[in-house]
Amino acid sequence: MSKEKTATELLKDKLLSDRRNGAVKSGTEVEKAFDYCDGYIDFMNACRTERECAAFITAEAEKRGFSPFDKSKKYSAGDRVYFNNRGKSVVLCVFGKKPLSLGAKIVASHIDSPRLDLKPNPLYEDSELAYFKTHYYGGIKKYQWTVMPLALHGVVMNKNGEKVTVRIGDSEGEPRFIITDLLPHLADEQEKRTLADGIKGEELNILIGSLPLKDGEGGDLVKLAIMKILNEKYGIVEDDFMTAELEAVPAYPACDLGFDRSLIGAYGHDDRVCAYPAFTSLFDADAPEYTGIAVLTDKEETGSDGVTGLNSAYLKHFIYDIAEAQGENGRDVIRKCECLSADVNAGFDPVFPSVHDKLNAAYLNKGIVLTKYTGARGKGGTSDANAEFLGKVTKIFNDACVLWQTGELGKVDEGGGGTVAKYLANTGIEVVDVGVPMLCMHAPFEVAAKIDIYSAYKGFKAFFEQK
Ligand code: MN
Ligand code: MN
């Protein structure tokens, strides 16, 4: 029996924010969120690198009527095109009913994640054990990457100029790899190191074998035996490592977490947890009024520089090209574009409460996080979204019953970080950060909530479908 609300309760309802857990709010589709996330887990297990994500997304797009963008063609409302940038970033576009001169609605996320890249000369032997040397990619806590199973993904260009694809360590029956750590019995000196130095960059060496070449003579026979296996399996020689791109990633699959299965643990949530909603919402967007663009970019974790990162001109040029194909001026179109920079934010972690301002932190299960500004030390390096645009985006979310919250990345002066938002803003596109809150960001196993992941999908879809 619901008893009548008091005057104070009614005033609270009217004037104060409702910051309850999404699961207890009416309108939160928990069951739908759980169903949606089954597809997300499949995606995460199929794709461990930016290249694999780009290939997967391109193939899924083609199944749904997307074709490579052709400058010479004239497109009309509902037509679906894509641009695959060197196999590492993808732009998907659905033409809207309104002219492009009114701008496009963009959702931009990244598909690269922190990992360990092999060095150009990775292979060596020490004390009859063979190793790969690595150089870490993105911001990691190095000690987290030891003593767990690793897989190896990437490409090697062989002497004939052919690209050889490597993917080993994820499937049943395949060998895995490991970075060793000291036993506690002998770690007294190591344990005096700071946490940041607990494992040093040059100690991130991957153990890859231990048997010397049978009947061989001379030194380095384990290294030689490993190279022999690699040559037989992939047709490569040691020199080919110098031009290769090989990435060591955690070898365990994404899975449900918790007795209630409300959370997902996975490697690479940052930022595939926003990338998956970005492209699935565009796939599902119903006859959009405005042209919709989903950007799945590379290189965010190393600062967005590079030809496949959003600090390069590839997105701007794509927009110019679709504008010209429609007889519009590219600059005019860019000026009218609006974008959700879809990236994760830190969720409040009650085990480590001191780094957050409780009032302004994001929380798991309270929906997608609107982050007005990122940056560090007085908002340095942020694009700081405009109130007018934030007001517009939150109205779209509210009208579509999207669960959302606001969140700062930690306390003032506690640290900081950035996203692709500023690179879009710097081209003249209106932009705000919106994404899924998470725990253990940049760890080899990150945590996100299903309700929040589905909220991202609903939010991005409403943004694409705005009138
Ligand atoms: Mn990110
Ligand atoms: Mn990141």
Side-chain angles (χ1 to χ4, degrees), residues 12 19 50-51 89 183 239 241 273 371 419 430 432 440-441:
K12 272 187 183 172
R19 298 195 179 128
E50 72 288 3
R51 284 178 188 272
S89 44
L183 60 168
D239 269 357
F241 283 121
V273 78
T371 305
T419 64
E430 190 87 50
V432 62
C440 335
M441 194 194 294

Side-chain angles (χ1 to χ4, degrees), residues 110 270-271 300-301 343-344:
H110 66 94
D270 179 5
D271 183 36
E300 194 279 339
E301 295 296 356
D343 207 343
V344 298

Side-chain angles (χ1 to χ4, degrees), residues 420-437:
V420 299
K422 66 176 172 183
Y423 302 107
L424 294 149
N426 292 347
T427 66
I429 296 172
E430 190 87 50
V431 62
V432 62
D433 279 303
V434 183
V436 174

Side-chain angles (χ1 to χ4, degrees), residues 208-224:
I208 54 167
S210 66
L211 293 180
L213 189 74
K214 203 163 182 264
D215 302 325
E217 63 228 37
D220 276 356
L221 291 179
V222 180
K223 172 178 167 174
L224 187 57

Side-chain angles (χ1 to χ4, degrees), residues 95 104 125 192 229 315 322 372:
F95 288 94
E125 169 180 347
K192 287 177 195 152
I229 293 170
L315 177 63
I322 57 170
K372 186 179 185 297

Side-chain angles (χ1 to χ4, degrees), residues 115-302:
R115 60 178 193 251
L116 306 174
D117 288 344
L118 296 203
K119 291 193 185 198
N121 259 322
L123 180 60
Y124 74 100
E125 169 180 347
D126 192 344
S127 311
E128 296 192 276
L129 294 172
Y131 293 92
F132 278 150
K133 291 198 73 66
T134 68
H135 194 140
Y136 63 99
Y137 173 99
I140 62 165
K141 293 165 93 174
K142 295 184 269 290
Y143 70 88
Q144 293 179 334
W145 292 71
T146 63
V147 289
M148 61 160 174
L150 294 170
L152 199 63
H153 292 233
V155 297
V156 185
M157 303 303 298
N158 70 15
K159 283 282 167 295
N160 303 326
E162 296 153 352
K163 187 158 74 178
V164 182
T165 301
V166 174
R167 182 178 178 137
I168 183 165
D170 303 291
S171 298
E172 200 53 44
E174 286 177 351
R176 274 105 171 133
F177 311 96
I178 189 174
I179 293 168
T180 57
D181 194 0
L182 267 180
L183 60 168
H185 317 63
L186 297 179
D188 282 359
E189 283 306 311
Q190 184 198 26
E191 285 180 345
K192 287 177 195 152
R193 296 181 186 180
T194 61
L195 197 58
D197 273 335
I199 293 290
K200 297 176 186 177
E202 290 293 348
E203 292 169 343
L204 291 171
N205 303 318
I206 304 172
L207 180 60
I208 54 167
S210 66
L211 293 180
L213 189 74
K214 203 163 182 264
D215 302 325
E217 63 228 37
D220 276 356
L221 291 179
V222 180
K223 172 178 167 174
L224 187 57
I226 292 292
M227 206 57 242
K228 189 165 173 278
I229 293 170
L230 293 175
N231 183 261
E232 284 163 7
K233 191 169 169 64
Y234 301 110
I236 59 173
V237 297
E238 189 180 12
D239 269 357
D240 297 335
F241 283 121
M242 291 189 219
T243 53
E245 285 184 346
L246 291 167
E247 309 173 6
V249 297
Y252 34 68
C255 64
D256 286 355
L257 291 180
F259 288 113
D260 57 9
R261 296 180 172 265
S262 59
L263 308 167
I264 296 175
Y267 160 68
H269 273 320
D270 179 5
D271 183 36
R272 294 162 196 159
V273 78
C274 295
Y276 184 76
F279 69 80
T280 52
S281 64
L282 186 63
F283 286 169
D284 297 346
D286 192 24
E289 294 287 322
Y290 293 91
T291 295
I293 295 176
V295 183
L296 300 312
T297 197
D298 181 29
K299 294 284 181 285
E300 194 279 339
E301 295 296 356
T302 50

Side-chain angles (χ1 to χ4, degrees), residues 76-96:
S76 45
D79 285 347
R80 301 175 146 208
V81 297
Y82 70 82
F83 170 63
N84 183 319
N85 184 8
R86 297 167 171 87
K88 291 181 167 184
S89 44
V90 184
V91 182
L92 304 172
C93 172
V94 177
F95 288 94

